[in-house]
Amino acid sequence: MYGIYQVANLDTLDSIAKEVGTSKEELKKLNGIIGDMNLRPGSFLIVPKYDNSYEKYVVKKGDNMYAIAKKYGVDYPSLLKLNGLDDGDFIYPEETILIPRGMKAYVTEEESMESISKKVGVPLEQLLMNNPNLVVLENQVVRY
């Protein structure tokens, strides 16, 4: 999950990384920044967006997304989508990915919340509570 951060006066990659709970290197990678650069106030950066619904996992040498999904009992396509990856994309040691905590995730097709509720076997009310403000779109992650 990612958010947008608007750069303010005196912001640095280090100060932004500390504020959003990530590393300078992760911010550089997410935004295609090579080397050190001065940030322009008013510009925007992509930042990881963490909450207590997700666990941070630091990739180790030899890891792959399929094995991580299996280890944590997470649907493989949903784990890819949650982390902005496609099947076949590489992950690298020391990279941080997000794993849903305490809930499962499902990648939608052309469906409604009612059909997803039936498919995953979760009451519609619970599905709606776990996904406030959700408008169902194709290839979207729904938590249940």
Side-chain angles (χ1 to χ4, degrees):
M1 304 290 283
Y2 298 96
I4 303 294
Y5 180 91
Q6 186 168 17
V7 177
N9 282 333
L10 305 178
D11 272 345
T12 64
L13 285 175
D14 286 318
S15 67
I16 296 168
K18 184 175 181 178
E19 183 175 335
V20 300
T22 192
S23 69
K24 176 181 177 178
E25 291 71 29
E26 183 70 14
L27 285 179
K28 289 171 79 172
K29 185 169 57 173
L30 283 173
N31 292 281
I33 298 171
I34 299 172
D36 287 325
M37 63 176 276
N38 291 326
L39 299 175
R40 202 175 43 172
S43 62
F44 295 94
L45 293 176
I46 298 170
V47 295
K49 192 172 168 183
Y50 303 113
D51 65 27
N52 63 2
S53 300
Y54 300 96
E55 175 180 337
K56 293 181 190 180
Y57 176 81
V58 179
V59 175
K60 296 170 187 61
K61 185 176 180 181
D63 277 344
N64 64 65
M65 291 298 281
Y66 182 79
I68 294 168
K70 187 173 179 180
K71 176 180 178 180
Y72 285 91
V74 177
D75 178 63
Y76 173 68
S78 299
L79 187 61
L80 290 175
K81 185 64 67 179
L82 177 65
N83 286 283
L85 300 171
D86 292 317
D87 194 25
D89 283 352
F90 293 100
I91 55 173
Y92 300 94
E94 304 306 315
E95 184 176 352
T96 301
I97 61 170
L98 296 178
I99 298 173
R101 179 185 292 166
M103 290 184 187
K104 296 182 180 178
Y106 173 76
V107 176
T108 63
E109 297 169 6
E110 292 182 19
E111 302 170 285
S112 67
M113 290 299 270
E114 291 84 5
S115 66
I116 294 169
S117 170
K118 289 176 185 170
K119 188 177 270 188
V120 299
V122 171
L124 179 59
E125 296 76 25
Q126 181 181 342
L127 198 59
L128 292 170
M129 192 169 56
N130 292 342
N131 298 277
N133 307 318
L134 178 70
V135 175
V136 180
L137 303 171
E138 188 173 356
N139 293 318
Q140 186 169 17
V141 175
V142 176
R143 297 180 344 183
Y144 68 96

